[in-house]
């Protein structure tokens, strides 16, 4: 069932668990996540980066695929189709295509411009029943070629953006996309506590979910994080399972690999990873 992410995240914040956002890249990824959410009776958010959207022939194609798959698989748990780190134009493309949620990443704009563009997109999204996420303090690491330094958000800026009416807020707390370096200082719980205090009941979002130790994840949830984004860990599991399959040379038989069989181990690996995260985040049986 495709829905906005507003209600599922308000419930998660109140119930002290988090809903996972898992990024999709193709049909197999999408199917694996939807089936796992249904099996775990968990709400879920499908994240689509602009790069992944381009790869999948545009946001119209993505929305059509997700809607049809949600119906044909008989998915009854709440599913939000969400633009991840959207540009201003990207947000409008997804609104038009039928996404149920968007993220406007205006963190690289001066704060005044971020405020103006976010206000406009909040009004448009809410008029159409979509939820909207904003970001303050850039999340480090690389996302679709954009490299951020991993700043900690200013709680006053968070309050300013929260007051524009966004439904959930990504605040940088030292988290980065991709693998964490050996010398990573860890999440700044001091920042998270200050942001949480500043924004009241607003659900907070933790990007860069890959590689954050379980105890830090749990502490973050206790301090208002209600949405956790995971991408790299699914990619790594997919890669590992696919490599093992190819190295075993099972299906060659003179005519190459059957693509369906080739992708099957990676598909199962994503399912296992998503289930593991849903259990850790506490969203199982919360649909
Ligand atoms: P990871 O790739 O580090 O899991 O981060 C995903 C993310 O935050 C997508 O927005």
């Amino acid at each position: 069932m495709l829905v906005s992410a507003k209600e599922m995240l308000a419930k998660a914040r109140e119930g002290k668990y988090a809903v996972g956002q898992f990024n999709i890249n193709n049909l197999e990824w999408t199917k694996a996540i939807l089936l796992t959410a249904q099996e775990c009776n968990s709400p879920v958010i499908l994240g689509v980066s602009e790069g992944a959207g381009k790869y999948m022939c545009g946001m119209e194609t993505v929305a059509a695929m997700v809607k049809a798959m949600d119906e044909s698989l008989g998915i009854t748990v709440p599913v939000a189709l969400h633009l991840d780190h959207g540009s201003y134009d990207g947000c409008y493309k997804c609104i038009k295509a039928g996404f149920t949620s968007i993220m406007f990443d205006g963190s690289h704009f001066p704060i005044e411009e971020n405020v103006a563009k976010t206000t406009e997109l909040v009004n448009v999204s809410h008029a159409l029943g979509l939820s909207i996420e904003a970001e303050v303090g850039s999340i480090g690491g690389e996302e679709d070629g954009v490299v951020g330094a991993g700043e900690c958000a200013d709680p006053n800026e968070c309050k300013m953006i929260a007051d524009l009416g966004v439904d959930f807020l990504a605040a940088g707390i030292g988290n980065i996309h991709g693998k964490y370096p050996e010398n990573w200082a860890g999440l700044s719980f001091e920042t998270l506590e200050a942001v949480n205090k500043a924004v009241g009941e607003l659900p907070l979002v933790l990007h860069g979910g890959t590689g954050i130790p379980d105890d830090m994840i749990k502490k973050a949830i206790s301090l208002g994080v209600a949405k956790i984004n995971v991408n790299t860990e699914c990619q790594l599991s997919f890669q590992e399972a696919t490599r093992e399959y190819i190295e075993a040379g099972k299906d060659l038989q003179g005519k190459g690999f059957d693509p369906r069989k080739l992708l099957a181990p990676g598909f199962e690996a994503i399912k296992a990873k998503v289930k593991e995260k849903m259990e850790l985040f506490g969203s199982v049986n919360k649909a």
Side-chain angles (χ1 to χ4, degrees):
M1 195 177 38
L2 287 192
V3 295
S4 115
K6 184 180 172 70
E7 197 185 321
M8 67 168 86
L9 293 182
K11 271 170 75 178
R13 159 128 204 174
E14 204 190 327
K16 293 223 180 293
Y17 60 93
V19 178
Q21 174 193 302
F22 303 97
N23 286 55
I24 59 170
N25 297 284
N26 58 19
L27 181 144
E28 286 75 13
W29 234 266
T30 312
K31 183 176 167 190
I33 297 163
L34 287 178
L35 285 176
T36 310
Q38 187 68 24
E39 281 162 25
C40 291
N41 192 30
S42 167
V44 75
I45 298 171
L46 303 178
V48 186
S49 70
E50 294 195 1
K54 268 190 206 131
Y55 173 77
M56 291 184 273
C57 306
M59 296 306 188
E60 301 273 349
T61 308
V62 174
M65 176 184 78
V66 169
K67 271 186 200 159
M69 200 185 284
D70 189 68
E71 278 168 31
S72 63
L73 292 175
I75 304 296
T76 55
V77 296
V79 177
L81 176 58
H82 179 73
L83 170 64
D84 191 25
H85 291 282
S87 63
Y88 180 74
D89 292 344
C91 284
Y92 278 105
K93 279 188 190 152
C94 289
I95 291 169
K96 189 166 159 276
F99 275 51
T100 59
S101 189
I102 56 169
M103 172 183 186
F104 173 54
D105 183 354
S107 61
H108 51 284
F109 287 118
I111 187 73
E112 298 76 22
E113 198 172 350
N114 193 358
V115 166
K117 287 192 158 68
T118 304
T119 304
E120 177 191 313
L121 285 162
V122 164
N123 292 335
V124 173
S125 305
H126 288 172
L128 295 168
L130 280 77
S131 49
I132 176 164
E133 172 179 349
E135 174 172 328
V136 178
S138 82
I139 315 293
E142 188 178 332
E143 180 86 352
D144 274 345
V146 178
V147 180
E151 321 161 348
C152 282
D154 172 349
N156 294 326
E157 277 190 24
C158 290
K159 165 94 177 106
M160 196 194 299
I161 297 288
D163 286 348
L164 303 178
V166 297
D167 300 296
F168 32 102
L169 184 74
I173 54 169
N175 42 328
I176 60 170
H177 294 116
K179 284 185 175 173
Y180 286 86
E182 293 279 315
N183 59 354
W184 178 52
L187 296 178
S188 168
F189 290 110
E190 205 183 315
T191 307
L192 182 56
E193 277 191 76
V195 170
N196 192 27
K197 231 178 168 175
V199 303
E201 290 301 299
L202 193 70
L204 299 173
V205 183
L206 185 61
H207 282 247
T210 294
I212 299 178
D214 291 1
D215 57 334
M216 285 195 198
I217 292 278
K218 293 206 163 127
K219 188 160 180 195
I221 293 173
S222 78
L223 291 169
V225 166
K227 171 176 181 277
I228 303 178
N229 295 5
V230 179
N231 180 39
T232 304
E233 257 185 90
C234 290
Q235 288 183 185
L236 291 170
S237 312
F238 183 85
Q239 171 185 295
E240 191 53 34
T242 310
R243 193 202 331 264
E244 276 173 18
Y245 184 79
I246 292 173
E247 282 176 2
K250 279 187 196 148
D251 257 41
L252 282 172
Q253 297 169 358
K255 51 179 183 154
F257 285 94
D258 174 337
R260 285 170 274 176
K261 288 189 183 155
L262 174 63
L263 293 172
F267 171 82
E268 292 301 333
I270 294 173
K271 282 191 75 189
K273 183 53 73 180
V274 170
K275 181 165 188 249
E276 177 193 314
K277 294 297 165 189
M278 287 177 166
E279 283 167 355
L280 173 65
F281 301 165
S283 70
V284 173
N285 285 327
K286 297 289 189 339

